[in-house]
Amino acid sequence: MRAWLARPAVRVAFALLILAWMGLTVTEIAVARPHAPHGEKQGLEALSLAFAGVFALELALRAGASTSWRRFVREHWTDVVAVLAAAPGLAAAWPAVRLLRLLRVVRLVAIVQRLPALPGFARRRTARRAIGLAGFVALASVT
């Protein structure tokens, strides 16, 4: 299982899913206005819950493939928080919780750093800073 999760194609697929979920989260925050149509909100929440389910499955697979529970938690705590932030009803009670889903940016940076298609690029300090800055700008644009 660990070898399958480490495949570049699997990493790219999860990177694309993360980008899609981040876009959905931003859209969901924008639609959270009081005068937005109720059906539109429900559709976005259902889609977001489906993404959270996919990421929960990914985390379960990673936890099962991990050699140490402590190492898994140390490396994936941001992912766990992001997935838990998508729990049904939580965003309705505390709308700011949706922002926690954007913690998946951390996983996106880790995926980009390990992609063999970008040899050395994401390992350079300036590239890491650029990726970090892009994540920060994305978070700042939402708030």
Side-chain angles (χ1 to χ4, degrees):
M1 182 58 63
R2 195 176 312 135
W4 182 79
L5 289 169
R7 286 183 176 177
V10 173
R11 288 183 181 180
V12 168
F14 278 113
L16 293 174
L17 285 172
I18 290 169
L19 286 172
W21 199 32
M22 287 181 357
L24 178 65
T25 299
V26 170
T27 304
E28 203 174 338
I29 290 169
V31 172
R33 302 177 316 271
H35 58 279
H38 185 67
E40 190 175 295
K41 288 181 189 178
Q42 282 185 327
L44 290 174
E45 288 173 4
L47 189 56
S48 185
L49 193 58
F51 272 100
V54 168
F55 290 127
L57 178 62
E58 175 209 6
L59 286 174
L61 292 173
R62 289 191 185 282
S66 180
T67 57
S68 165
W69 178 252
R70 286 184 182 178
R71 183 176 179 189
F72 169 78
V73 171
R74 186 176 64 239
E75 292 178 357
H76 300 285
W77 70 270
T78 55
D79 300 327
V80 172
V81 170
V83 170
L84 290 176
L90 191 59
W94 296 294
V97 168
R98 287 186 184 104
L99 292 175
L100 291 175
R101 296 181 203 166
L102 298 178
L103 284 173
R104 291 294 292 191
V105 169
V106 175
R107 171 65 43 215
L108 187 62
V109 170
I111 289 170
V112 168
Q113 285 180 339
R114 293 186 180 107
L115 279 179
L118 302 172
F121 173 75
R123 290 188 179 93
R124 290 189 211 132
R125 179 178 290 177
T126 54
R128 286 195 308 259
R129 286 182 183 165
I131 293 168
L133 181 62
F136 178 75
V137 169
L139 287 174
S141 68
V142 174
T143 57

